[in-house]
Amino acid sequence: GENVEQHPSTLSVQEGDSAVIKCTYSDSASNYFPWYKQELGKRPQLIIDIRSNVGEKKDQRIAVTLNKTAKHFSLHITETQPEDSAVYFCAAREDSGTYKYIFGTGTRLKVLA
Amino acid sequence: ETGVTQSPTHLIKTRGQQVTLRCSSQSGHNTVSWYQQALGQGPQFIFQYYREEENGRGNFPPRFSGLQFPNYSSELNVNALELDDSALYLCASSLDQQVPNTEAFFGQGTRLTVV
């Protein structure tokens, strides 16, 4: 079945350093790849997304890259700040049927001040 | 805020009981999906409702059922609760399932604890 693998499961970086989270998906029909940030006890919030016809997208300190051939996509956060500390989830959405999201298992990012 | 509201926010139930969770979708959205997020895991797709019909289901047993009403709000019902049903239940609404590339907006979730 469809699957999204996410690595690493935990990541600690010093404030100001960069953080990279990687995901691999299995369903070649997936065409939309959002990234969510979830703070403790709160809803997942969309922080950036990328569609299959684009290889890279950037929004201030956050960027996402997509390699459709390899079925890889990555989240890059530069100049990390303590408020970036949260759990980050990648997801892949099939572009047919239910358009359901398949989520990765999450990465707990800790930015050390 | 996303405009998607869920109730209740927290709930404690006893094993074997039944529970109903509610979701009001964002105005104009006709598609609601439900996800279960166990502690330390990513959300898992339960099912989706589109224009009052179930439209896709994940690997959940039949004791998980749902409804969507004419105003597109939705309910998730779980019968014969088990301890492993303890989780955060999220609903997500989107503009129209038939329109590709539409974003889903999550509610704040209902935290269900089964004791």
Side-chain angles (χ1 to χ4, degrees), chain A residues 48-50 56-64 76 78:
Chain A
I48 196 167
D49 55 15
I50 191 166
E56 185 172 356
K57 182 177 177 180
K58 190 172 181 180
D59 182 4
Q60 299 183 339
R61 297 187 296 109
I62 296 173
V64 58
H76 304 252
T78 58

Side-chain angles (χ1 to χ4, degrees), chain A residues 42-111:
Chain A
K42 297 193 175 179
R43 77 186 81 197
Q45 293 203 301
L46 179 72
I47 55 170
I48 196 167
D49 55 15
I50 191 166
R51 305 188 192 282
S52 60
N53 58 347
V54 174
E56 185 172 356
K57 182 177 177 180
K58 190 172 181 180
D59 182 4
Q60 299 183 339
R61 297 187 296 109
I62 296 173
V64 58
T65 58
L66 171 65
N67 181 332
K68 246 200 142 224
T69 304
K71 297 183 188 172
H72 289 166
F73 57 116
S74 300
L75 176 72
H76 304 252
I77 306 174
T78 58
E79 300 171 29
T80 53
Q81 301 167 3
E83 51 265 38
D84 294 330
S85 297
V87 179
Y88 291 82
F89 291 98
C90 62
R93 189 183 69 191
E94 59 180 37
D95 209 22
S96 61
T98 63
Y99 296 86
K100 69 184 180 189
Y101 290 81
I102 306 297
F103 283 86
T105 49
T107 295
R108 182 173 299 281
L109 174 64
K110 191 178 291 186
V111 179

